[in-house]
Amino acid sequence: MSVTFTTRGALQKSVLRQANERLILNAVRNNPTISRSDLSRITGLSPSSISFIVNRLVRRGVLTEEKLEKYSQVGRRPTALHLATDSMLAIALEIKAGGTRLALADLSGRFLRQKLIPWNSNPQVLAQRAHAAIRSMLDQAGSSRVLGVGVGLPGSIERFGGRVIAAENLNWFNVDFGTPLRGRLQLPFYFENNARLSALAEKWFAEPGSKPLQDFIFVATAGGLGTGVFTGGHLLEGATAVGGECGHIILHPDGLQCTCGNRGCWEQYASDKALCRLYAGYAGLPDATRCDAPEILDLARQGDEAATRALGEVADALALGFANLLMVFNPEAIIVGDFAADAWDLIEARIWAVLKGRAPRYTLAPVRIVPTTHAPDSALLGGASVVFSHFFTRFDNGGDPVRPGEVLLMQGAR
Ligand SMILES: [Zn+2]
């Protein structure tokens, strides 16, 4: 019995130590120039506990201290604590038919290395290619600093196992992507939908000091249309963790055939693919797959009639979808990504004109609609965010997986 008790006691102590360390790291992350006394006030830990833990983190190179120059009061000159941004790293993988990307990111969201992985429509082959690239990146980075791998793809995927439930635009259904990707690597892997990762990146890599977003929607418009929805500060999951996927809400019941099997989904009218289809039609081109959104935007900027007309129709369709989102989620912000972000100066006025005619004023009043500042790296940054968010929040929670973006509060912990 005593052995069990000792083991349990030691375990609890290490869990508590980890919890307090992460509590401090979280406070420093959220307050870029925090002092030791501020830390004590914010965390509820005693000054001696703060001193002990901070000294340990400084010795490990995770925190750095900076003497503040301007200080008018009498007494010891205070020091500001900072996270050493390269002390912890994350690997992010964004799977896209157009260009699968791998990146090594630091805590500030800076990419230290990047690699393009040649596309293969066979998920096993692509997973093996990505696995080799991850191993090579780990060798170059020094694997001890890498906390994990965040993987995004356009579709629904099991968050920890990496089984693709459905990725319509890749034509992947019920395939095990996680096992060949992991191989024998011992790192944690987290899998998530690309648009949801992009939403997480908006929350995790927000401007320091800015008001944290609680209720917002990220609208990804590359290779289809996907959304990530935050409500009350949490990523919306639903009963089986595939909630908040608004690309397949039905805009026209008898509309265009969608890759999901339904008809008239929003993404058929408001995505980059819709833009290409409409432009090809108006320009009299035989094959929409040869067009791409950046080219059409360039043409629209030059006043090309077919491109302008196609972009206008896509803007109308985007706005109709936004009107639905406003009614359901009452967001404070809708953040648009990909081609819609690039085209924002061309489509913003038209989108607001439609919204003013379609959405009640009380849903329009609180909402900002803005292009992301992360384009074209939203999903990759999201891959890094999911790794960091698990590291900073994964402790003493009874073993339940922490939801991405969840920031744990442990006031009064000792
Ligand atoms: Zn659909």
Side-chain angles (χ1 to χ4, degrees):
M1 281 300 286
S2 65
V3 172
T4 309
F5 180 79
T6 308
T7 308
R8 188 177 163 77
L11 233 168
Q12 282 178 340
K13 201 172 169 186
S14 84
V15 167
L16 198 62
R17 191 176 74 179
Q18 192 184 48
N20 285 336
E21 264 189 20
R22 290 187 188 178
L23 184 65
I24 287 173
L25 290 174
N26 244 325
V28 176
R29 199 182 73 79
N30 290 321
N31 302 277
T33 55
I34 198 168
S35 68
R36 289 182 185 224
S37 55
D38 292 336
L39 263 182
S40 179
R41 185 172 45 77
I42 289 174
T43 61
L45 291 167
S46 69
S48 62
S49 297
I50 291 286
S51 189
F52 181 77
I53 297 168
V54 165
N55 287 346
R56 193 169 58 206
L57 290 168
V58 169
R59 278 199 304 276
R60 276 172 30 203
V62 177
L63 290 182
T64 60
E65 287 188 288
E66 174 201 16
K67 292 258 186 242
L68 292 176
E69 294 297 333
K70 290 181 181 170
Y71 188 64
S72 56
Q73 294 174 37
V74 179
R76 271 174 60 183
R77 203 164 53 152
T79 54
L81 292 162
H82 306 287
L83 271 177
T85 53
D86 61 353
S87 62
M88 289 179 242
L89 307 174
I91 289 179
L93 176 68
E94 179 189 16
I95 298 160
K96 266 197 318 191
T100 290
R101 295 165 71 199
L102 188 70
L104 179 71
D106 72 9
L107 279 171
S108 70
R110 189 167 52 112
F111 293 150
L112 307 179
R113 293 177 196 276
Q114 288 194 65
K115 187 172 172 55
L116 267 179
I117 297 170
W119 173 246
N120 191 296
S121 58
N122 181 331
Q124 303 295 323
V125 175
L126 190 76
Q128 282 157 12
R129 283 180 185 172
H131 173 83
I134 290 169
R135 285 186 65 141
S136 154
M137 200 167 260
L138 280 169
D139 288 343
Q140 291 166 351
S143 55
S144 63
R145 285 187 300 163
V146 178
L147 302 178
V149 183
V151 183
L153 96 171
S156 301
I157 187 164
E158 285 175 4
R159 183 169 287 165
F160 297 101
R163 174 170 287 278
V164 178
I165 299 160
E168 290 87 357
N169 291 316
L170 305 179
N171 202 23
W172 292 359
F173 297 92
N174 194 28
V175 290
D176 181 5
F177 188 74
T179 303
L181 182 68
R182 262 195 211 91
R184 295 186 177 187
L185 291 172
Q186 294 300 311
L187 286 169
F189 277 66
Y190 308 104
F191 300 87
E192 191 50 279
N193 168 274
N194 272 344
R196 296 218 258 176
L197 285 184
S198 299
L200 183 58
E202 295 295 328
K203 196 158 172 65
W204 195 257
F205 290 117
E207 284 290 311
S210 62
K211 180 173 167 277
L213 284 167
Q214 295 294 311
D215 296 275
F216 71 99
I217 300 153
F218 188 95
V219 180
T221 58
L225 191 150
T227 54
V229 179
F230 267 83
T231 60
H234 296 296
L235 195 58
L236 182 73
E237 294 178 352
T240 56
V242 295
E245 177 49 88
C246 302
H248 298 284
I249 56 175
I250 301 162
L251 219 55
H252 304 291
D254 301 314
L256 295 166
Q257 182 67 47
C258 183
T259 48
C260 72
N262 208 336
R263 284 189 168 276
C265 297
W266 187 24
E267 86 163 21
Q268 292 304 315
Y269 301 89
S271 64
D272 55 346
K273 287 184 168 181
L275 180 66
C276 293
R277 173 179 51 77
L278 288 165
Y279 171 73
Y282 294 137
L285 304 177
D287 185 1
T289 60
R290 293 188 175 220
C291 308
D292 77 354
E295 270 177 42
I296 299 169
L297 294 191
D298 279 349
L299 288 167
R301 288 184 199 288
Q302 292 161 26
D304 178 274
E305 198 179 320
T308 305
R309 195 171 162 197
L311 189 60
E313 280 191 35
V314 167
D316 291 347
L318 267 173
L320 282 182
F322 290 171
N324 290 333
L325 300 185
L326 295 182
M327 289 306 292
V328 178
F329 299 112
N330 182 212
E332 61 193 301
I334 293 176
I335 302 171
V336 298
D338 307 305
F339 92 85
D342 296 339
W344 193 244
D345 59 317
L346 299 174
I347 60 178
E348 181 181 12
R350 186 147 174 169
I351 282 177
W352 277 104
V354 174
L355 278 176
K356 282 174 183 164
R358 290 283 190 163
R361 197 176 288 179
Y362 61 83
T363 63
L364 285 176
V367 74
R368 294 183 297 125
I369 307 180
V370 291
T372 178
T373 56
H374 294 156
D377 300 322
S378 290
L380 265 187
L381 279 172
S385 307
V386 77
V387 173
F388 291 137
S389 73
H390 275 276
F391 173 80
F392 278 93
T393 54
R394 186 201 63 196
F395 50 79
D396 204 17
N397 63 349
D400 292 335
V402 174
R403 303 202 285 189
E406 190 168 72
V407 173
L408 212 69
L409 292 174
M410 289 190 60
Q411 299 293 339
R414 291 287 184 275

